[in-house]
């Protein structure tokens, strides 16, 4: 509905025919979409229409307009019809995190799948249940789990727009599985939720020699099987079976009793390549006659290993074609060694779907390689900026005029300040006459010339103290102004 510029006026029967569902199922789905959720928002808005003569018309429906700051992710409609609800929720979270380039942890995935009914309603599922759901989702082909290849040892989850292998369009159409054998009465319904350790995650922390030792009994595990000598390999009979035993070997003698024999030529079957290996080597088939059988056998083993690991023959052929065409005359050296060391080696990041910086099944640029390239570019830019700043500082330092050579300081004898002799003492009559003729200006001049103590002696406390307080105030204002 949201892809149409005008609103949808189709009848319910028409929508059901498009979707391949019953009319009742479509009406039930439209009712759920028209009902506001816990956030008070309805995803589909429906308006009823009636003609002028009173007959009802098909309703007008449209999808609500998304806000600019609202976060969402587009999902393929096929995933909604082929995945169960919990797996669909996990797939949506993984697709959203992939677009936002956010690493996911198991605890974060647990928060999006919760119990819907019972005493545990609203609580997140257990870790083992979430791991089982992720394994089932990976088996369906909608996601790929790159184990321990994410940041800080996390799993990296990759969501696909279409499954990697064919799946049914509806879970209800899935063929019934054959009846499983009856489980013992003490078994739990979900074997992944028990208290025992998960057996699919590797070997135990220590070996139990009571159960892990090899069975050497021929009746239980079979005896040691030895290959029968067919004559193709093996040393020839000894030339001197009765060599020196109690005396050292003489000159020209060797202690090995079969050193004189030489290995015969290989008489086994010739090298045979499977059709899949031939299809992969199609771009360099004209070069195969120049490759030694041993190297060609190693190439076949490498191709078989990659095919068994999940890389398709088409992908290996495309890889070999591209690199053979972009290499300058690979026939100048050993072509077999070039195929092993450069032609078949996968290049890219740790994601298995990455092919030389491109996601193989989509053709888009690998997000991990893009992030690594951006980080490397930023680091190179920061390093280049640091080098330029260091170079600029060195140039500025060279352009500055040379500093003058400092002259060593010479010791100069400074004469001691002359001690002024204090004025002679005055009599009481002279002091009284001096204080009677004193004016404020004369008192201040005496304070400045002779100091406070001498001025107090000459003019007395009654005349000097007011001038001392005023001088202190003037000095404080002077310092505050400065």
């Amino acid at each position: 509905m949201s892809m149409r510029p005008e609103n949808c006026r189709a009848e319910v029967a028409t929508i059901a025919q498009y979707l391949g569902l019953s009319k009742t199922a479509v009406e039930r789905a439209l009712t759920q979409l028209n009902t506001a959720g816990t956030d008070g928002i309805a995803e589909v808005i429906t308006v009823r229409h009636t003609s002028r003569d009173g007959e009802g018309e098909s309703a007008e429906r449209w999808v609500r307009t998304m806000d600019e700051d609202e976060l969402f992710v587009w999902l393929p409609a096929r995933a909604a019809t082929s995945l169960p609800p919990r797996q669909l929720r996990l797939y949506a979270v993984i697709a959203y995190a992939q677009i936002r380039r956010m690493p996911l942890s198991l605890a974060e995935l647990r928060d999006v799948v919760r119990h819907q009914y019972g005493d545990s309603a609203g609580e997140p599922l257990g870790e083992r249940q979430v791991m089982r759901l992720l394994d089932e989702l990976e088996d369906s082909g909608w996601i790929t789990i790159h184990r321990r290849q994410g940041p800080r040892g996390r799993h990296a989850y990759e969501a696909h727009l279409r499954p990697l292998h064919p799946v049914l369009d509806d879970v209800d159409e899935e063929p019934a599985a054959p009846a499983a054998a009856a489980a013992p009465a003490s078994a739990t319904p979900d074997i992944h939720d028990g208290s025992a350790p998960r057996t699919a995650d590797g070997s135990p922390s220590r070996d139990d020699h009571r159960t892990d030792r090899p069975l050497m009994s021929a009746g239980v595990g079979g005896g040691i099987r030895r290959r029968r000598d067919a004559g193709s390999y093996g040393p020839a009979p000894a030339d001197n079976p009765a060599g020196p035993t109690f005396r050292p070997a003489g000159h020209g003698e060797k202690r090995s009793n079969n050193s004189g024999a030489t290995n015969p030529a290989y008489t086994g079957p010739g090298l045979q390549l499977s059709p899949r290996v031939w299809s992969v080597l199609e771009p360099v088939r004209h070069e195969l006659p120049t490759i030694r059988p041993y190297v060609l056998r190693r190439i076949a083993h490498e191709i078989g290993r990659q095919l068994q690991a999940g890389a398709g023959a088409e992908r290996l052929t495309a890889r070999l074609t591209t690199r053979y065409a972009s290499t300058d005359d690979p026939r100048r050296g050993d072509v077999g060694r070039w195929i092993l060391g450069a032609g078949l080696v996968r290049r890219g990041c740790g994601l298995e779907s990455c092919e030389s910086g491109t996601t193989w099944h989509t053709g888009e640029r690998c997000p991990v390689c893009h992030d690594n390239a951006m980080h490397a570019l930023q680091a190179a830019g920061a390093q280049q900026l640091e080098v330029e700043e260091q170079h600029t500082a060195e140039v500025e330092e060279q352009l500055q005029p040379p500093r003058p050579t400092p002259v060593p300081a010479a010791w100069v004898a400074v004469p001691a300040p002359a001690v002024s002799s204090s004025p002679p003492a005055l009599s009481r009559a002279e002091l009284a006459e001096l204080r009677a003729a004193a004016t404020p200006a004369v008192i201040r001049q005496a304070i400045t010339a002779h100091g406070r103590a001498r001025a107090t002696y000459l003019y007395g406390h009654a005349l000097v103290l007011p001038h001392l307080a005023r001088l202190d105030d003037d000095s404080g204002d002077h310092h505050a102004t400065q």
Side-chain angles (χ1 to χ4, degrees), residues 386-396:
E386 183 179 357
V387 172
E388 292 179 357
E389 292 178 355
Q390 184 178 3
H391 178 69
T392 303
E394 293 177 356
V395 172
E396 291 178 355

Side-chain angles (χ1 to χ4, degrees), residues 63-324:
V63 181
R64 70 177 181 89
T65 305
M66 306 288 291
D67 298 335
E68 294 182 356
D69 56 347
E70 188 173 358
L71 303 178
F72 65 94
V73 60
W74 288 101
L75 299 179
R78 190 178 181 185
T81 58
S82 61
L83 292 177
R86 288 179 175 176
Q87 295 184 14
L88 179 61
R89 184 178 291 270
L90 289 175
Y91 174 76
V93 173
I94 293 174
Y96 175 78
Q98 180 176 348
I99 294 177
R100 298 295 301 273
R101 297 180 182 176
M102 299 167 50
L104 289 175
S105 63
L106 189 60
E108 295 171 346
L109 292 175
R110 287 182 57 200
D111 292 338
V112 300
V113 283
R114 298 175 178 269
H115 293 281
Q116 301 295 330
Y117 310 101
D119 298 338
S120 302
E123 298 181 1
L125 299 181
E127 293 185 358
R128 295 172 182 260
Q129 288 178 308
V130 177
M131 294 169 67
R132 174 170 53 85
L133 291 175
L134 291 173
D135 293 340
E136 294 176 355
L137 189 58
E138 184 182 21
D139 295 339
S140 65
W142 284 102
I143 67 169
T144 301
I145 302 178
H146 306 281
R147 308 186 184 279
R148 301 300 180 186
Q149 297 184 14
R152 298 183 180 179
R154 296 180 178 180
H155 294 343
Y157 302 93
E158 180 183 4
H160 308 298
L161 296 179
R162 56 180 181 273
L164 299 182
H165 51 77
V167 297
L168 297 177
D169 290 338
D170 197 348
V171 294
D172 297 336
E173 301 176 1
E174 186 174 355
S186 60
T188 57
D190 189 358
I191 61 175
H192 298 277
D193 293 335
S195 59
R198 198 180 187 202
T199 58
D201 289 341
S203 59
S205 58
R206 59 185 179 86
D207 296 337
D208 190 355
H209 298 286
R210 296 176 298 176
T211 59
D212 294 343
R213 63 176 181 269
L215 298 176
M216 302 302 296
S217 175
V220 178
I224 300 177
R225 184 178 180 181
R226 304 190 65 177
R227 188 171 182 178
R228 183 176 57 186
D229 187 6
S232 301
Y233 299 96
D239 294 339
N240 186 14
T245 304
F246 299 103
R247 60 183 177 85
H251 180 72
E253 293 182 349
K254 297 182 180 180
R255 297 185 182 274
S256 178
N257 58 356
N258 57 353
S259 60
T262 57
N263 293 332
Y266 175 75
T267 59
L271 179 62
Q272 298 292 334
L273 300 180
S274 63
R276 295 194 305 172
V277 176
W278 276 112
S279 62
V280 172
L281 294 176
E282 179 64 28
V284 293
R285 179 169 293 186
H286 58 284
E287 300 282 358
L288 297 183
T290 61
I291 302 176
R292 293 175 296 169
Y294 169 74
V295 179
L296 191 59
R297 186 178 291 107
R298 288 187 57 188
I299 293 174
H301 290 171
E302 177 63 21
I303 294 175
R305 185 190 65 81
Q306 295 193 23
L307 292 176
Q308 187 177 4
E314 180 182 357
R315 180 176 178 179
L316 296 181
T317 303
R319 181 189 305 171
L320 200 57
T321 302
T322 303
R323 295 181 183 177
Y324 186 81

Side-chain angles (χ1 to χ4, degrees), residues 373-385:
M374 293 300 295
H375 292 329
L377 185 61
Q378 293 176 359
Q383 185 178 4
Q384 181 66 22
L385 181 60

